[in-house]
Amino acid sequence: SAVPVYRGKVGHILPYRKTKRRGERQMKWMSLTALSMALCLAALPVLFSRGETAVQSVSQMEMQQEIKPVTVKQKQQEAPTENRSDDQPEPFRILDRSTGKVETVPVQVYVTGALCSEMPATFHKEALKAQAVCARTYAVCQTKHRAQGFDICATTHCQVYQGTAASGANSDAAVDQTAGEFLYYSGRLVQEAVYYSSNGGASEDSLNVWGNDVGYLKGKIDPYEGKIASIIPRYNWSTTFTASELTSLLNNRGYGIGAVKNAYVSAYTDTGNVYSVTFTGTSGSKTVSREACRTLLNLRSQRFTIGGGTGKNIYSVNDTGESVALGSMSAIDSSGKSSALSGNVYVITSSGTSQLEQRTTTSSGSGSFVISGSGYGHNVGMSQWGAYSMANLGYSYRDILQFYYTDVSIR
């Protein structure tokens, strides 16, 4: 049968079926358009209402960001961030003794400040890393101030902390690269990661300084400080006391021995540091030992000799000129029994028996005593200048820590 046709506007003859479909599509599009316009008109009040609220909220947030002051928390976030875990220590509460105020400081920020307060930021980075591990370990173990409402003070009584203003690229990197690392001994956190400026040639057992025997605080000969002795401030030092000054000093401490006539080192440790000093006077004698040898006379270290006085019963014990008093010497017999020596002292050498030479040191009648020594500090734990020397020789911070602290691990 014949197919009906429809003549379009431009004179084309189109099949009726296609034209019908296009017309249906146009009708649907017009219906959808009308529906959309109706929905939009209905929603206009709601949209305008919400638009005013949204603009207001954005304006408030922008205004708050512009006027928000810089807080301590924001400043701390600029420093390297400590790796956090469930067992990370809480921020430290630090007492500023100059103001009496307690400041709460995150661990990493505190370590950065303590590091650049205790060691120059210009030191080799490996030395700074060793110091950072020491500072962090020492700080987390401090409990002596807890009852006073803070964890640690900002002076040498605990550890110096003067903020982070003196930090530099090397010190910041040292803290960041050792973040979360501590010293351990026998699987437990080291409780006393102590350190000092320089030891003068040998560190010392804590037993011979503070009276407590600690496995990781053992003295040893230090071959590294001597290599840089010329650049260490006041590495070698001396001080002079008159007999009257020593007499007054001892009387003020309650040691009434009359007028001081002599003062001498009466015993040395195995590493050559001073273990005891004896003072003799017109009415008695007094021997002080361990750290008191240094603190009583306010000396720079525990490695020194004393010249002057009468020199009675002082004997040379080695080629370095170090000496020991007769009263501190003992002999051990075959049964293991020891007894004090008296009278003339003899020793057995490769060439036979010889009398121990007495070394007499006089003050030429001046009544003064010259104390000469080397190093600065208590000599227990890590030498900071020794760390500097080791780092410049190519040793790592782990090498440094494991030299100065016996049998420790770092993790």
Side-chain angles (χ1 to χ4, degrees), residues 342-357:
S342 60
N344 294 325
V345 179
Y346 295 84
V347 294
I348 300 175
T349 68
S350 57
S351 58
T353 302
S354 61
Q355 185 175 351
L356 192 64
E357 178 185 358

Side-chain angles (χ1 to χ4, degrees), residues 123-143:
F123 268 32
H124 192 290
K125 189 165 70 173
E126 292 302 308
L128 291 166
K129 287 162 73 173
Q131 181 69 44
V133 175
C134 288
R136 184 183 296 111
T137 304
Y138 181 84
V140 298
C141 294
Q142 296 311 299
T143 60

Side-chain angles (χ1 to χ4, degrees), residues 211-378:
N212 56 327
D213 191 6
V214 180
Y216 52 84
L217 297 177
K218 297 296 183 182
K220 58 187 66 178
I221 300 298
D222 187 341
Y224 303 108
E225 279 190 4
K227 297 180 184 298
I228 58 168
S230 61
I231 68 171
I232 301 177
R234 293 188 64 192
Y235 186 68
N236 296 302
W237 51 268
S238 66
T239 186
T240 301
F241 290 90
T242 64
S244 61
E245 287 174 333
L246 290 179
T247 299
S248 296
L249 188 152
L250 292 172
N251 284 336
N252 290 337
R253 294 296 183 92
Y255 306 143
I257 61 171
V260 171
K261 295 298 183 181
N262 198 15
Y264 55 89
V265 176
S266 47
Y268 285 92
T269 69
D270 291 341
T271 57
N273 294 313
V274 173
Y275 181 78
S276 64
V277 173
T278 297
F279 303 90
T280 58
T282 55
S283 58
S285 66
K286 174 64 181 179
T287 297
V288 295
S289 59
R290 298 190 170 101
E291 188 178 36
C293 299
R294 173 176 64 91
T295 58
L296 176 66
L297 301 175
N298 194 29
L299 303 177
R300 288 178 60 82
S301 79
Q302 207 163 313
R303 192 171 184 83
F304 58 85
T305 59
I306 302 177
T310 64
K312 291 182 180 178
N313 295 331
I314 304 299
Y315 294 87
S316 176
V317 295
N318 57 36
D319 293 335
T320 67
E322 295 173 357
S323 59
V324 64
L326 178 62
S328 65
M329 299 172 66
S330 299
I332 302 176
D333 60 24
S334 58
S335 66
K337 181 181 179 181
S338 62
S339 56
L341 297 177
S342 60
N344 294 325
V345 179
Y346 295 84
V347 294
I348 300 175
T349 68
S350 57
S351 58
T353 302
S354 61
Q355 185 175 351
L356 192 64
E357 178 185 358
Q358 179 176 333
R359 187 184 73 172
T360 303
T361 55
T362 66
S363 57
S364 302
S366 65
S368 62
F369 301 85
V370 178
I371 303 177
S372 302
S374 55
Y376 181 40
H378 50 63

Side-chain angles (χ1 to χ4, degrees), residues 160-175:
V160 178
Y161 175 80
Q162 298 174 336
T164 60
S167 66
N170 272 1
S171 58
D172 287 348
V175 176

Side-chain angles (χ1 to χ4, degrees), residues 80 108 111-112 115 129 132 136 170-179:
Q108 193 79 339
V111 175
T112 301
L115 170 59
K129 287 162 73 173
R136 184 183 296 111
N170 272 1
S171 58
D172 287 348
V175 176
D176 189 43
Q177 292 171 17
T178 62

